[in-house]
Amino acid sequence: MSRRFLTGAVSAGLVLVLAACSGTTKNDNAGSGAQQSTAAANPNAAAKEGVKMAFLPKQLNNPYSDIEVSGGKEALGELKGEYKLVGPNDASASSQVSYINTLIQQQQDVIGIAANDPNAVCPSLNQARSAGIKVVAFDSDAAKDCRDVFINQATTQGIGEALAKQAKDLSGGSGEVAVLSATPNATNQNAWIDVFKKELAKPEYASLKLDKVAYGNDDDQKSFQEAQGLLQSFPNLKVIVAPTTVGIAAAARYVSSSSYKGKVAVTGLGTPNQMRAFVKDGTVKQFALWNPADIGYLAAYAGVALKSGQITGKQGEKFKAGKLGDYTIGENGEIVLGPPTTFDANNIDKFNF
Ligand code: RAM
């Protein structure tokens, strides 16, 4: 499977050690028993032109989502498909349901969704599938039995382990840490935090104490306030770990203009363009991410491959994803983009997204 990430831009040394964990992840999301397609895949089928694929990210007012869907648009251009973007302004659990229902009425061929809740979207997604629409979850999974494939940005295990390692390194090896997450229902953050907690339970992390998991709901203001609240409630806090691009940027903004600057570390997952100023002013020493545009790009190629019958979502099926190369579907319909990259003062200026 191709594991290319930021083609040509990243040296192996920048890739997190935990990239070694990439591969098929155990799917620890909600949902029981994937609905298996009975049709056989035909890897030699021609890619259909004119495939109508609608992207439904967690929310529209998030720079991360904008980058993701730009990759989807690019891929659909290459595939001569029709790109559409719809979505809510907030990432609350049920905010996507009405959009799915409208997309069914509009007879889209493929829905690409970053689910705000693994289960709330399921009845609508399964209605879509009954109507012949293929469902590609990306970024944040829906329950396994209501989508055909899931494009995971990196392995859930690898991301969770990376977050724990960041926390330990930045704490100097011991002390109090807190998590500033997105929404309480987010499939992706919850899966990462689950691994993070399991890591912290290991003997090598015994000197780290997790004070709290706070939720900024992927809302800038709420995330800012939650960061402030964490620092007030836990005076000995050493590291805020925010596995969300919205949360890490808001926490860094708060810390950079407070008396905590230089004393409390902020890390997690962020976009280089949003974090650059905080790396330059010393608030943030390191953080990680993948290229969000590649997720949208891969989702579009998977969507068209599904609609063309090249794949059905079963483990072991293969398809081509343009400039990203060849991919193989893993366990539970999961397709892993590749390992994350760590950004710091030495490399951040090499990235522009
Ligand atoms: C936020 C969203 C998104 C997540 C990134 C890391 O933009 O919560 O789902 O993947 O952070």
Side-chain angles (χ1 to χ4, degrees), residues 249-276:
R253 197 169 81 249
Y254 175 69
V255 171
S256 72
S257 58
S258 75
S259 57
Y260 299 106
K261 186 175 170 199
K263 297 183 191 120
V264 175
V266 176
T267 191
L269 304 173
T271 67
N273 287 355
Q274 282 182 287
M275 300 308 292
R276 193 176 328 275

mmCIF file of all heavy atoms in Angstrom, residues 249-276:
data_model
loop_
_atom_site.group_PDB
_atom_site.id
_atom_site.type_symbol
_atom_site.label_atom_id
_atom_site.label_comp_id
_atom_site.label_asym_id
_atom_site.label_seq_id
_atom_site.Cartn_x
_atom_site.Cartn_y
_atom_site.Cartn_z
ATOM 1 N N ALA A 249 -5.024 25.410 18.309
ATOM 2 C CA ALA A 249 -4.790 26.813 17.937
ATOM 3 C C ALA A 249 -5.342 27.746 19.019
ATOM 4 O O ALA A 249 -4.703 28.744 19.380
ATOM 5 C CB ALA A 249 -5.430 27.109 16.584
ATOM 6 N N ALA A 250 -6.515 27.422 19.547
ATOM 7 C CA ALA A 250 -7.115 28.273 20.585
ATOM 8 C C ALA A 250 -6.304 28.205 21.879
ATOM 9 O O ALA A 250 -6.062 29.231 22.528
ATOM 10 C CB ALA A 250 -8.565 27.839 20.833
ATOM 11 N N ALA A 251 -5.860 27.002 22.251
ATOM 12 C CA ALA A 251 -5.067 26.854 23.481
ATOM 13 C C ALA A 251 -3.739 27.597 23.343
ATOM 14 O O ALA A 251 -3.291 28.282 24.271
ATOM 15 C CB ALA A 251 -4.820 25.372 23.776
ATOM 16 N N ALA A 252 -3.116 27.486 22.167
ATOM 17 C CA ALA A 252 -1.834 28.174 21.957
ATOM 18 C C ALA A 252 -2.032 29.691 22.008
ATOM 19 O O ALA A 252 -1.199 30.420 22.571
ATOM 20 C CB ALA A 252 -1.238 27.763 20.613
ATOM 21 N N ARG A 253 -3.136 30.162 21.450
ATOM 22 C CA ARG A 253 -3.399 31.611 21.468
ATOM 23 C C ARG A 253 -3.560 32.091 22.910
ATOM 24 O O ARG A 253 -3.034 33.124 23.293
ATOM 25 C CB ARG A 253 -4.656 31.917 20.650
ATOM 26 C CG ARG A 253 -4.779 33.379 20.282
ATOM 27 C CD ARG A 253 -5.870 33.631 19.265
ATOM 28 N NE ARG A 253 -7.196 33.683 19.868
ATOM 29 C CZ ARG A 253 -8.145 32.786 19.697
ATOM 30 N NH1 ARG A 253 -7.936 31.746 18.931
ATOM 31 N NH2 ARG A 253 -9.318 32.917 20.281
ATOM 32 N N TYR A 254 -4.284 31.318 23.704
ATOM 33 C CA TYR A 254 -4.467 31.714 25.102
ATOM 34 C C TYR A 254 -3.123 31.716 25.842
ATOM 35 O O TYR A 254 -2.740 32.707 26.477
ATOM 36 C CB TYR A 254 -5.466 30.787 25.825
ATOM 37 C CG TYR A 254 -5.523 31.157 27.286
ATOM 38 C CD1 TYR A 254 -6.099 32.363 27.680
ATOM 39 C CD2 TYR A 254 -4.926 30.353 28.257
ATOM 40 C CE1 TYR A 254 -6.085 32.753 29.003
ATOM 41 C CE2 TYR A 254 -4.912 30.735 29.583
ATOM 42 C CZ TYR A 254 -5.497 31.935 29.945
ATOM 43 O OH TYR A 254 -5.464 32.337 31.257
ATOM 44 N N VAL A 255 -2.392 30.617 25.729
ATOM 45 C CA VAL A 255 -1.130 30.501 26.485
ATOM 46 C C VAL A 255 -0.122 31.560 26.031
ATOM 47 O O VAL A 255 0.577 32.168 26.848
ATOM 48 C CB VAL A 255 -0.542 29.074 26.355
ATOM 49 C CG1 VAL A 255 0.868 28.995 26.937
ATOM 50 C CG2 VAL A 255 -1.453 28.065 27.057
ATOM 51 N N SER A 256 -0.084 31.840 24.731
ATOM 52 C CA SER A 256 0.943 32.764 24.212
ATOM 53 C C SER A 256 0.790 34.173 24.771
ATOM 54 O O SER A 256 1.769 34.913 24.855
ATOM 55 C CB SER A 256 0.910 32.812 22.686
ATOM 56 O OG SER A 256 -0.239 33.499 22.252
ATOM 57 N N SER A 257 -0.442 34.528 25.160
ATOM 58 C CA SER A 257 -0.638 35.893 25.669
ATOM 59 C C SER A 257 -0.896 35.884 27.173
ATOM 60 O O SER A 257 -1.464 36.836 27.713
ATOM 61 C CB SER A 257 -1.807 36.546 24.937
ATOM 62 O OG SER A 257 -2.954 35.754 25.119
ATOM 63 N N SER A 258 -0.482 34.827 27.844
ATOM 64 C CA SER A 258 -0.717 34.737 29.290
ATOM 65 C C SER A 258 0.613 34.549 30.024
ATOM 66 O O SER A 258 1.659 34.356 29.400
ATOM 67 C CB SER A 258 -1.627 33.553 29.601
ATOM 68 O OG SER A 258 -0.881 32.350 29.487
ATOM 69 N N SER A 259 0.520 34.547 31.336
ATOM 70 C CA SER A 259 1.724 34.344 32.145
ATOM 71 C C SER A 259 2.193 32.882 32.101
ATOM 72 O O SER A 259 3.250 32.549 32.620
ATOM 73 C CB SER A 259 1.439 34.742 33.592
ATOM 74 O OG SER A 259 0.345 33.980 34.060
ATOM 75 N N TYR A 260 1.391 32.021 31.465
ATOM 76 C CA TYR A 260 1.766 30.605 31.370
ATOM 77 C C TYR A 260 2.741 30.348 30.223
ATOM 78 O O TYR A 260 3.285 29.255 30.108
ATOM 79 C CB TYR A 260 0.523 29.733 31.148
ATOM 80 C CG TYR A 260 -0.481 29.829 32.264
ATOM 81 C CD1 TYR A 260 -1.664 30.539 32.102
ATOM 82 C CD2 TYR A 260 -0.253 29.209 33.496
ATOM 83 C CE1 TYR A 260 -2.589 30.635 33.120
ATOM 84 C CE2 TYR A 260 -1.176 29.295 34.514
ATOM 85 C CZ TYR A 260 -2.346 30.011 34.327
ATOM 86 O OH TYR A 260 -3.265 30.099 35.340
ATOM 87 N N LYS A 261 2.921 31.346 29.364
ATOM 88 C CA LYS A 261 3.809 31.157 28.207
ATOM 89 C C LYS A 261 5.207 30.756 28.687
ATOM 90 O O LYS A 261 5.779 31.386 29.575
ATOM 91 C CB LYS A 261 3.889 32.451 27.399
ATOM 92 C CG LYS A 261 4.654 32.286 26.126
ATOM 93 C CD LYS A 261 4.632 33.534 25.294
ATOM 94 C CE LYS A 261 5.632 33.349 24.150
ATOM 95 N NZ LYS A 261 6.000 34.609 23.572
ATOM 96 N N GLY A 262 5.728 29.714 28.099
ATOM 97 C CA GLY A 262 7.056 29.236 28.492
ATOM 98 C C GLY A 262 7.015 28.270 29.669
ATOM 99 O O GLY A 262 7.982 27.577 29.946
ATOM 100 N N LYS A 263 5.870 28.233 30.362
ATOM 101 C CA LYS A 263 5.762 27.323 31.516
ATOM 102 C C LYS A 263 4.872 26.128 31.192
ATOM 103 O O LYS A 263 5.116 25.022 31.675
ATOM 104 C CB LYS A 263 5.177 28.066 32.724
ATOM 105 C CG LYS A 263 6.065 29.198 33.204
ATOM 106 C CD LYS A 263 5.486 29.863 34.453
ATOM 107 C CE LYS A 263 6.238 31.147 34.734
ATOM 108 N NZ LYS A 263 5.392 32.332 34.722
ATOM 109 N N VAL A 264 3.819 26.383 30.432
ATOM 110 C CA VAL A 264 2.888 25.304 30.083
ATOM 111 C C VAL A 264 3.018 25.010 28.589
ATOM 112 O O VAL A 264 2.932 25.932 27.766
ATOM 113 C CB VAL A 264 1.436 25.706 30.427
ATOM 114 C CG1 VAL A 264 0.457 24.648 29.947
ATOM 115 C CG2 VAL A 264 1.296 25.942 31.917
ATOM 116 N N ALA A 265 3.231 23.764 28.250
ATOM 117 C CA ALA A 265 3.388 23.390 26.838
ATOM 118 C C ALA A 265 2.021 23.099 26.217
ATOM 119 O O ALA A 265 1.105 22.612 26.890
ATOM 120 C CB ALA A 265 4.275 22.153 26.731
ATOM 121 N N VAL A 266 1.901 23.420 24.934
ATOM 122 C CA VAL A 266 0.689 23.082 24.180
ATOM 123 C C VAL A 266 1.125 22.203 23.018
ATOM 124 O O VAL A 266 2.073 22.540 22.299
ATOM 125 C CB VAL A 266 0.006 24.355 23.632
ATOM 126 C CG1 VAL A 266 -1.198 23.981 22.759
ATOM 127 C CG2 VAL A 266 -0.424 25.277 24.770
ATOM 128 N N THR A 267 0.437 21.083 22.843
ATOM 129 C CA THR A 267 0.769 20.200 21.725
ATOM 130 C C THR A 267 -0.478 19.456 21.272
ATOM 131 O O THR A 267 -1.566 19.687 21.790
ATOM 132 C CB THR A 267 1.916 19.226 22.110
ATOM 133 O OG1 THR A 267 2.370 18.573 20.917
ATOM 134 C CG2 THR A 267 1.463 18.186 23.126
ATOM 135 N N GLY A 268 -0.316 18.591 20.289
ATOM 136 C CA GLY A 268 -1.463 17.845 19.770
ATOM 137 C C GLY A 268 -1.428 17.834 18.257
ATOM 138 O O GLY A 268 -0.364 17.661 17.655
ATOM 139 N N LEU A 269 -2.597 18.096 17.637
ATOM 140 C CA LEU A 269 -2.726 18.035 16.179
ATOM 141 C C LEU A 269 -3.149 19.390 15.646
ATOM 142 O O LEU A 269 -4.181 19.918 16.052
ATOM 143 C CB LEU A 269 -3.792 16.991 15.806
ATOM 144 C CG LEU A 269 -3.562 15.575 16.351
ATOM 145 C CD1 LEU A 269 -4.772 14.696 16.062
ATOM 146 C CD2 LEU A 269 -2.289 14.965 15.768
ATOM 147 N N GLY A 270 -2.333 19.964 14.765
ATOM 148 C CA GLY A 270 -2.669 21.283 14.235
ATOM 149 C C GLY A 270 -2.205 21.428 12.800
ATOM 150 O O GLY A 270 -1.410 20.632 12.300
ATOM 151 N N THR A 271 -2.702 22.460 12.116
ATOM 152 C CA THR A 271 -2.193 22.725 10.768
ATOM 153 C C THR A 271 -0.999 23.672 10.891
ATOM 154 O O THR A 271 -1.021 24.611 11.696
ATOM 155 C CB THR A 271 -3.264 23.376 9.854
ATOM 156 O OG1 THR A 271 -3.567 24.674 10.336
ATOM 157 C CG2 THR A 271 -4.523 22.543 9.790
ATOM 158 N N PRO A 272 0.041 23.470 10.083
ATOM 159 C CA PRO A 272 1.226 24.325 10.165
ATOM 160 C C PRO A 272 0.880 25.811 10.013
ATOM 161 O O PRO A 272 1.426 26.648 10.733
ATOM 162 C CB PRO A 272 2.102 23.820 9.018
ATOM 163 C CG PRO A 272 1.692 22.394 8.832
ATOM 164 C CD PRO A 272 0.225 22.340 9.155
ATOM 165 N N ASN A 273 -0.041 26.145 9.094
ATOM 166 C CA ASN A 273 -0.329 27.567 8.897
ATOM 167 C C ASN A 273 -0.998 28.197 10.121
ATOM 168 O O ASN A 273 -0.753 29.359 10.432
ATOM 169 C CB ASN A 273 -1.204 27.778 7.656
ATOM 170 C CG ASN A 273 -0.421 27.560 6.368
ATOM 171 O OD1 ASN A 273 0.789 27.339 6.403
ATOM 172 N ND2 ASN A 273 -1.103 27.597 5.242
ATOM 173 N N GLN A 274 -1.835 27.452 10.814
ATOM 174 C CA GLN A 274 -2.472 28.003 12.020
ATOM 175 C C GLN A 274 -1.502 28.050 13.197
ATOM 176 O O GLN A 274 -1.663 28.867 14.101
ATOM 177 C CB GLN A 274 -3.691 27.160 12.411
ATOM 178 C CG GLN A 274 -4.923 27.429 11.574
ATOM 179 C CD GLN A 274 -6.094 26.592 12.075
ATOM 180 O OE1 GLN A 274 -6.143 25.379 11.870
ATOM 181 N NE2 GLN A 274 -7.031 27.229 12.733
ATOM 182 N N MET A 275 -0.512 27.188 13.200
ATOM 183 C CA MET A 275 0.374 27.077 14.368
ATOM 184 C C MET A 275 1.699 27.816 14.215
ATOM 185 O O MET A 275 2.447 27.975 15.180
ATOM 186 C CB MET A 275 0.662 25.590 14.644
ATOM 187 C CG MET A 275 -0.566 24.766 14.944
ATOM 188 S SD MET A 275 -1.586 25.465 16.255
ATOM 189 C CE MET A 275 -0.496 25.251 17.653
ATOM 190 N N ARG A 276 1.993 28.281 12.997
ATOM 191 C CA ARG A 276 3.315 28.846 12.723
ATOM 192 C C ARG A 276 3.703 29.950 13.720
ATOM 193 O O ARG A 276 4.790 29.939 14.298
ATOM 194 C CB ARG A 276 3.351 29.403 11.291
ATOM 195 C CG ARG A 276 4.756 29.721 10.788
ATOM 196 C CD ARG A 276 4.757 30.177 9.321
ATOM 197 N NE ARG A 276 3.722 29.577 8.516
ATOM 198 C CZ ARG A 276 3.826 28.391 7.908
ATOM 199 N NH1 ARG A 276 4.942 27.703 8.004
ATOM 200 N NH2 ARG A 276 2.824 27.917 7.202
#
